[in-house]
Amino acid sequence: PFKRSYADIFFEWWKDTFPEADFEFVNAGIGGTDSYLGVHRVNKDVLEYEPDLVLVEFSVNDEDSLFYKKTYDNLVRKILLSDSRPAVMLLYMGQTNGATAQGNHVFVGFSYKLPMLSYSSLINDMMEQKVYTDKQLSGDEVHPSALGHAITGEILWKYLNNVYENVDSYGEPQRFDMAAVMKESYINADIIDSSDADVISAGDFEKKRVCTQFPYGWECTKGEGKLEIKAEFQNLGILYFATTNGLGGQYDVYVDGEYAGTINADFSGGWGNAIKAKQVYTSDSSAEHTITIKKSPDSTGDLFDLLGLLVS
């Protein structure tokens, strides 16, 4: 009668199976975001809760590239090595047009011997056998319909039931100590925002709460911007809010006075206002740098909402 997300269905299994137990369910998902942002925010949004079990899913928003193979590996590894030593399950979602990063992510799952569940593979098989059509599974090729979420929930329930029925056959859990699949470039990733940044000069930027997920940001609506921040990092990314109202501008990022990249906050024609993250700088070693963000000379708009700096 109403659409429930697969995350809620997943949690329902635990409540139904262990009605006398107390559970805390944290849904840390943010729509439209990838594992690059995920590895930077996992400390605050997930690991601070000291979880016992984490379900990881980024196969729709990640691309099938070495960059995302690294960010996904670092994210999963960061969770496995965290203080609460949680169990980890990997879920591979996919679009009805076949797009998914599952092919990349399975290398991480196999390497760490983690349970892997694939909605993407299942719906492709269902569509091929004409069990369901792509329209029944998704109205826009990207997001699962109520049916798609229910199918995902059933996959998760089936796996959990199988584990529970055979729980006595598993030995004691072993401490995770496997070698990394990719270089650990983001294992210490974090987010700097207006609550803790070492600001040299705010310029035309003002502190602003733009979205609930990242409340400590900055906003520029006039002038040239020119926000200057001092920070230590090896890699730098920009976390920002892109808007569809046509007011978003293009802002250049400089590291120690050298041009590093341009951020386009204009998402006109897009599916909606979106939280976006883009890496602009990488080096071989960590050092203290000065970051300058200012409006591009040919910017089409004045608005820029900076949500944070992604440092590692």
Side-chain angles (χ1 to χ4, degrees):
F2 59 92
K3 183 175 180 178
R4 292 183 301 162
S5 73
Y6 68 75
D8 292 322
I9 299 171
F10 177 65
F11 180 52
E12 198 172 87
W13 182 88
W14 293 92
K15 292 191 298 181
D16 287 1
T17 307
F18 306 100
E20 301 302 317
D22 290 326
F23 293 100
E24 182 179 6
F25 170 52
V26 177
N27 186 347
I30 300 177
T33 62
D34 54 25
S35 64
Y36 172 60
L37 175 54
V39 74
H40 287 82
R41 68 182 181 89
V42 69
N43 281 342
K44 177 178 179 294
D45 292 350
V46 178
L47 301 182
E48 282 190 3
Y49 294 95
E50 299 183 339
D52 299 296
L53 169 65
V54 181
L55 179 66
V56 182
E57 198 295 301
F58 283 101
S59 295
V60 170
N61 292 315
D62 275 10
E63 296 175 4
D64 195 3
S65 67
L66 285 176
F67 173 75
Y68 281 109
K69 186 177 181 181
K70 183 188 290 186
T71 59
Y72 183 78
D73 170 53
N74 281 207
L75 170 62
V76 173
R77 186 170 182 80
K78 197 169 182 175
I79 297 169
L80 288 166
L81 291 172
S82 63
D83 291 342
S84 63
R85 303 287 172 174
V88 174
M89 292 172 59
L90 306 181
L91 175 63
Y92 304 140
M93 300 297 287
Q95 302 180 26
T96 53
N97 61 9
T100 180
Q102 173 178 307
N104 225 350
H105 292 172
V106 293
F107 285 100
V108 176
F110 278 123
S111 297
Y112 297 150
K113 300 180 180 179
L114 299 175
M116 297 177 284
L117 308 172
S118 177
Y119 170 80
S120 180
S121 295
L122 181 60
I123 62 167
N124 286 335
D125 187 57
M126 284 178 163
M127 288 186 290
E128 184 177 336
Q129 295 188 35
K130 302 188 185 309
V131 177
Y132 296 118
T133 66
D134 58 341
K135 297 296 183 185
Q136 289 175 303
L137 294 165
S138 173
D140 59 6
E141 290 190 341
V142 180
H143 302 94
S145 62
L147 173 64
H149 278 279
I151 290 171
T152 309
E154 188 169 352
I155 296 170
L156 294 166
W157 274 55
K158 184 176 182 179
Y159 176 77
L160 292 171
N161 281 330
N162 181 264
V163 171
Y164 189 43
E165 289 169 5
N166 297 280
V167 67
D168 293 334
S169 66
Y170 301 105
E172 289 296 314
Q174 301 298 308
R175 188 180 183 87
F176 178 77
D177 61 355
M178 297 181 182
V181 176
M182 303 289 286
K183 184 178 179 181
E184 294 183 307
S185 301
Y186 306 101
I187 204 70
N188 296 314
D190 205 353
I191 301 177
I192 296 174
D193 57 30
S194 64
S195 70
D196 58 4
D198 184 0
V199 177
I200 301 171
S201 173
D204 297 307
F205 280 83
E206 296 181 353
K207 290 183 179 182
K208 178 70 179 290
R209 180 187 179 97
V210 177
C211 64
T212 57
Q213 296 94 336
F214 304 99
Y216 303 107
W218 297 267
E219 184 174 74
C220 184
T221 59
K222 61 182 179 180
E224 65 173 341
K226 207 168 184 181
L227 173 67
E228 292 184 288
I229 297 173
K230 186 183 295 183
E232 184 174 342
F233 55 85
Q234 180 175 342
N235 309 294
L236 172 68
I238 303 299
L239 179 62
Y240 64 102
F241 197 61
T243 58
T244 60
N245 57 15
L247 300 178
Q250 295 76 49
Y251 279 64
D252 297 330
V253 182
Y254 295 83
V255 176
D256 299 328
E258 297 291 327
Y259 172 77
T262 298
I263 304 299
N264 183 12
D266 181 15
F267 199 38
S268 298
W271 47 266
N273 295 338
I275 295 168
K276 290 182 175 288
K278 180 181 179 181
Q279 181 168 278
V280 295
Y281 176 88
T282 184
S283 63
D284 294 329
S285 59
S286 181
E288 188 173 80
H289 300 282
T290 297
I291 307 149
T292 305
I293 301 175
K294 59 183 180 179
K295 189 191 300 180
S296 301
D298 56 350
S299 179
T300 60
D302 295 320
L303 177 65
F304 187 70
D305 290 309
L306 176 65
L307 303 179
L309 303 174
L310 308 180
V311 295
S312 57

